[in-house]
Amino acid sequence: MVTPTSCKAYVLVTRRFSSTTATQPPGFVEGNIGGVALPATSFRNAYHLGDLDGDGDLDIAVTNGSMSFFINDGTGVFSAGQTLAISNTRDGQFGDLDGDGDLDFLVVTTGANEVLLNDGSTTFTSSQSFGSSNSRSIGLSDIDGDGDLDAFIGNTSQADKVWTNNGTGTFSDSGQSLDANSFPYSVTMADIEGDGDFDAVIAKYGGGSQVFLNNGSGTFSNSGLNFAGSAQDAAVGDVNNDGAMDIVIANRPGQNPVFLNQVIETEVTLSGNDLLITDINGGTSNDRLTISADATDVTITDPVNLITTAIAGATGSGTNTVTVPLSAFTGDVKVMSLGGDDEINIDGLNL
């Protein structure tokens, strides 16, 4: 049986923009007149917006070392809501964690993280405390493709962790330990490689920001991309309208770069017994993947490291030449050329 798997190359091109002095745009006036004063904070991930009571307006959660909620009356005037006895909070995200249709909240702290379930009327109850790392940031998304929200949690000077949700708001450690000794100011979940699952973009203060790629079942691997600088945050979106997710990083200090994610289109040709896949989109690099076979082995020559995942049964994984014994698979090499979304299908292999 042939199982299609995506084989795409991505190039990140840097565009740098100078900072300018912003003035207040005309038409903005101060809101929350007559409302309760919102707390000051020294934490960058402190304010979070979501419709807590289902009345169609945006309320506020504040993680400024403590945990408090503020309720919007619909005109931008806020009243004090619930305050929970949770200390050393650093970040959090809204999401329907238990699948009951309202917004819950997952808050990360320098100790145990807390799952706060909403009863639908802005009353939150802690249903689970998990983890013991010095957590700094969080990204919620359906990491393992089972329809509920899981958590990628960035930890300071400790390994980042992936926690999977059983659908009722109960989280379990996936067993993955990623990128130890980092200082992750933010985690942004997005489909960076265009394969339909959520990858993780980690903005790190010092050491370079990184991208971790999801294999579709919730297991992450380091993409090898490293963005120099001391990042405070990252935003992901298609800034140049080409269908791929680009990355904008906010550094402190330094310039704030825009990284354009470019899918490399390929041409497939047959040369003797070799299958050649060559860049034809005018990119600056000659991306070429060659697959050849003899009586015992299939050899994959990958000079620019297009293959980023290990191949079961192969030798040389992670290098420019990978050898796979014929005993590792059966069948022919089949190629479907789909322009910017080419696929390579090899029976029994996972490329």
Side-chain angles (χ1 to χ4, degrees):
M1 176 180 178
V2 175
T3 303
T5 56
S6 178
C7 184
K8 306 174 188 175
Y10 292 85
V11 175
L12 289 167
V13 181
T14 307
R15 299 287 186 270
R16 297 186 180 275
F17 293 84
S18 300
S19 61
T20 58
T21 302
T23 58
Q24 183 175 357
F28 280 80
V29 297
E30 185 178 358
N32 198 31
I33 303 301
V36 65
L38 299 176
T41 177
S42 60
F43 300 111
R44 58 159 305 281
N45 294 343
Y47 275 75
H48 316 272
L49 294 175
D51 185 4
L52 305 186
D53 48 8
D55 62 354
D57 56 46
L58 293 175
D59 309 299
I60 297 175
V62 182
T63 53
N64 62 333
S66 58
M67 184 71 247
S68 54
F69 298 93
F70 295 86
I71 308 305
N72 188 351
D73 69 357
T75 68
V77 175
F78 292 86
S79 59
Q82 188 179 12
T83 296
L84 297 174
I86 303 174
S87 59
N88 298 316
T89 61
R90 290 295 182 267
D91 195 6
Q93 276 195 11
F94 284 114
D96 185 4
L97 303 179
D98 55 1
D100 64 352
D102 56 40
L103 287 181
D104 310 301
F105 197 76
L106 202 162
V107 58
V108 298
T109 78
T110 58
N113 306 307
E114 300 280 345
V115 177
L116 306 179
L117 297 183
N118 186 357
D119 68 357
S121 63
T122 73
T123 298
F124 289 84
T125 303
S126 177
S127 66
Q128 182 187 9
S129 299
F130 66 89
S132 58
S133 300
N134 183 6
S135 299
R136 179 73 189 193
S137 52
I138 179 175
L140 286 179
S141 65
D142 184 8
I143 287 172
D144 53 7
D146 64 352
D148 54 44
L149 292 175
D150 311 298
F152 191 115
I153 295 180
N155 298 313
T156 300
S157 300
Q158 296 168 300
D160 300 334
K161 303 290 286 185
V162 177
W163 297 82
T164 56
N165 186 352
N166 69 354
T168 66
T170 300
F171 289 81
S172 300
D173 188 349
S174 70
Q176 299 175 73
S177 295
L178 305 166
D179 192 33
N181 302 317
S182 68
F183 195 176
Y185 261 44
S186 74
V187 176
T188 304
M189 307 302 295
D191 186 5
I192 298 298
E193 54 184 337
D195 60 354
D197 55 42
F198 286 95
D199 309 302
V201 179
I202 315 298
K204 298 195 306 178
Y205 189 76
S209 299
Q210 294 177 304
V211 176
F212 287 88
L213 299 179
N214 187 349
N215 70 352
S217 62
T219 299
F220 288 84
S221 60
N222 193 329
S223 69
L225 298 171
N226 190 291
F227 309 107
S230 291
Q232 301 279 300
D233 203 355
V236 178
D238 183 7
V239 301
N240 61 346
N241 251 351
D242 66 350
M245 293 292 102
D246 310 302
I247 301 173
V248 182
I249 294 181
N251 285 320
R252 178 190 177 193
Q255 293 180 314
N256 301 322
V258 177
F259 295 96
L260 301 181
N261 186 356
Q262 295 185 324
V263 179
I264 303 301
E265 297 182 2
T266 58
E267 178 184 29
V268 179
T269 59
L270 186 63
S271 175
N273 292 323
D274 293 344
L275 182 70
L276 298 179
I277 303 169
T278 306
D279 175 17
I280 61 169
N281 77 334
T284 57
S285 61
N286 183 22
D287 302 317
R288 174 172 292 180
L289 181 67
T290 302
I291 303 175
S292 60
D294 58 25
T296 58
D297 299 304
V298 170
T299 299
I300 303 171
T301 305
D302 182 16
V304 292
N305 289 319
L306 299 181
I307 300 173
T308 59
T309 57
I311 302 173
T315 58
S317 294
T319 65
N320 296 127
T321 301
V322 179
T323 301
V324 187
L326 287 178
S327 59
F329 72 97
T330 59
D332 298 324
V333 175
K334 299 181 180 180
V335 175
M336 296 182 298
S337 183
L338 303 176
D341 197 21
D342 295 334
E343 294 181 347
I344 301 174
N345 308 301
I346 301 178
D347 287 0
L349 297 184
N350 181 21
L351 296 182

